[in-house]
Amino acid sequence: MDFELPDEIKDFCKATKAIVNDLLPLEREFVETGVVPPIVRQTLVDNGYFGMALPEEYGGLGLGALAQAAVQIELARLPPQFWTEIRPLMGPGAKNIAYHCTEAQKEMLIPGMATGEIPVAFALTEPGSGSDPGSMRTTATRNADGWVINGSKTYISNGKNAKFVTVYAYTDKSAGARGGISAFLMPADTPGFSVSGVIELMGTSPAVYELTFDECQVPADALIGEEGKGFSYALECLNEGRMNVGATAVGMGEYALELATEEAKVRPAFGNVIADFQAIRHYLAGMATDMRAARLILLDAAWRYDQGEKRRELASMAKLFATEAGGRTVDTALQIYGGAGYCKGYAIERLYRDIRITRIYEGSSEIQKNTIAKELLR
């Protein structure tokens, strides 16, 4: 049994770590100004990160799940705001375009998505519909010119900047979620569409957005794939999405462990450094064990996914364990830093805020447990 990453993935990870190390010093400028230095985005575009998960034939890198996970672990040492545009390009909205749009739509969109010129947003969640998308109220009604979309969405990443939005709506409420929800590709300049609210966040990105659809007329070919298949299309990409979140949590946790270990070696206390005390050593041992286990369970799930073993429980286990272990590790790292860890300007303080959301989005920890149990009891 070989636990080593393939050489080409190791090389990409090594190159990514070097890029991340070059960009990390810019975090201080970002903290002081609230603006991501433009060189960050340009560096990530120039090195192909926007196209990591997009098909090679349209200008992407076409990386598999294992490569995506390994590279994201390295990227996750950066402030999330530095690569916030990349994540939607690895999620269900982008994958629905790559898997189910027409050839003409793919040729129109994906090359620009891979170069960062065409941002996209994934609009599924609604104010009363988070973990239960079947209770959504947004509708798409057929007419002579195509479809008319009405409703609202919330917590939408990239909602303000997106040029295209993948929208999920009921086309047949009587058919229920699994047969009545369809997916649509809608240009952001469609009359009746608006960004109706801004929700500022504790961490991860500056904000997410509320979207409103008021009599939005879209053509018949705005339908992605088949009518009534939208729910299955969203679920189709959940395994990848959950592993991606797990990878982010592993990267954050490993970075926190690295920072806390160095801090323990130099922080003085009672005539020694705190690394000399057994309590701190036990903290570090537990953190290292947690992150080792998280990395292995994540990469195993991703490798199996690439081999065609697309088991929902493995992706859910990876996300559940990685995000919970990452959260514990960052929390303990802040404890090792003491009061300094609670101060703005320290990476640990930033990690503490940023990692918390990983236990919620792409399915909360509770939803992951439900999924694992359901698969076990089949």
Side-chain angles (χ1 to χ4, degrees):
M1 185 177 293
D2 186 0
F3 289 95
E4 286 293 322
L5 290 169
D7 288 343
E8 64 273 16
I9 297 178
K10 284 198 284 189
D11 289 344
F12 197 177
C13 289
K14 183 178 179 181
T16 302
K17 178 167 281 190
I19 290 170
V20 167
N21 287 339
D22 287 342
L23 296 177
L24 271 174
L26 297 173
E27 181 174 357
R28 180 163 294 279
E29 178 183 339
F30 168 66
V31 170
E32 292 172 354
T33 66
V35 177
V36 178
I39 188 63
V40 173
R41 186 181 193 275
Q42 194 58 53
T43 298
L44 296 175
V45 168
D46 289 347
N47 286 278
Y49 291 98
F50 276 63
M52 283 197 298
L54 300 174
E56 287 185 87
E57 59 266 35
Y58 302 104
L61 297 183
L63 299 186
L66 180 63
Q68 289 180 49
V71 171
Q72 283 181 94
I73 288 172
E74 301 299 337
L75 288 174
R77 296 167 68 231
L78 291 170
Q81 295 86 348
F82 281 23
W83 58 296
T84 187
E85 289 183 83
I86 294 175
R87 289 190 293 276
L89 294 169
M90 306 176 77
K95 293 298 178 71
N96 281 177
I97 292 171
Y99 296 162
H100 301 294
C101 274
T102 65
E103 191 64 29
Q105 288 170 326
K106 293 176 187 179
E107 291 176 355
M108 175 184 69
L109 292 174
I110 299 178
M113 291 162 62
T115 59
E117 297 171 281
I118 301 180
V120 295
F122 172 66
L124 176 67
T125 301
E126 298 187 3
S129 165
S131 297
D132 177 22
S135 63
M136 73 169 58
R137 296 184 177 182
T138 299
T139 61
T141 305
R142 194 193 301 268
N143 67 6
D145 297 316
W147 301 88
V148 178
I149 301 175
N150 284 285
S152 62
K153 301 292 181 179
T154 192
Y155 300 132
I156 307 303
S157 301
N158 230 24
K160 182 179 179 180
N161 301 320
K163 292 186 178 179
F164 287 85
V165 182
T166 52
V167 189
Y168 295 78
Y170 265 111
T171 48
D172 182 1
K173 192 77 174 179
S174 66
R178 293 189 177 275
I181 293 176
S182 300
F184 296 87
L185 180 66
M186 194 193 79
D189 60 2
T190 299
F193 171 70
S194 64
V195 178
S196 51
V198 180
I199 304 170
E200 295 185 358
L201 300 179
M202 181 170 72
T204 302
S205 65
V208 288
Y209 301 92
E210 295 176 334
L211 309 181
T212 296
F213 306 85
D214 183 9
E215 296 292 309
C216 292
Q217 177 72 58
V218 296
D221 64 2
L223 178 69
I224 296 176
E226 297 180 43
E227 183 179 345
K229 293 290 184 71
F231 187 77
S232 64
Y233 294 161
L235 289 180
E236 175 184 37
C237 304
L238 274 182
N239 284 347
E240 291 175 84
R242 288 170 174 173
M243 289 186 291
N244 288 341
V245 176
T248 299
V250 170
M252 289 180 176
E254 290 185 347
Y255 187 35
L257 172 60
E258 175 188 326
L259 293 171
T261 301
E262 293 306 310
E263 177 71 6
K265 292 176 182 178
V266 299
R267 183 181 168 194
F270 305 103
N272 297 295
V273 293
I274 62 172
D276 292 330
F277 295 98
Q278 187 181 60
I280 301 301
R281 291 184 173 213
H282 285 186
Y283 276 157
L284 294 172
M287 295 158 73
T289 302
D290 252 352
M291 296 321 302
R292 177 71 172 170
R295 175 180 274 264
L296 290 174
I297 196 171
L298 170 71
L299 295 183
D300 173 71
W303 179 83
R304 292 178 185 278
Y305 186 89
D306 285 342
Q307 308 309 307
E309 198 175 337
K310 300 181 179 181
R311 292 163 53 188
R312 295 176 64 203
E313 74 272 24
L314 295 183
S316 288
M317 288 175 186
K319 182 184 186 294
L320 174 65
F321 192 88
T323 58
E324 295 284 346
R328 289 192 297 269
T329 297
V330 172
D331 183 82
T332 306
L334 193 150
Q335 192 73 14
I336 289 172
Y337 266 75
Y342 200 67
C343 297
K344 291 279 188 181
Y346 282 84
I348 287 296
E349 183 271 343
R350 181 258 293 175
L351 287 164
Y352 187 80
R353 286 183 287 109
D354 289 337
I355 201 168
R356 185 59 182 85
I357 190 63
T358 64
R359 289 156 56 192
I360 298 173
Y361 74 121
E362 293 287 3
S364 66
S365 290
E366 293 73 22
I367 291 295
Q368 305 312 319
K369 291 176 182 178
N370 286 347
T371 299
I372 294 163
K374 182 178 179 180
E375 294 301 312
L376 289 174
L377 293 169
R378 281 188 184 277

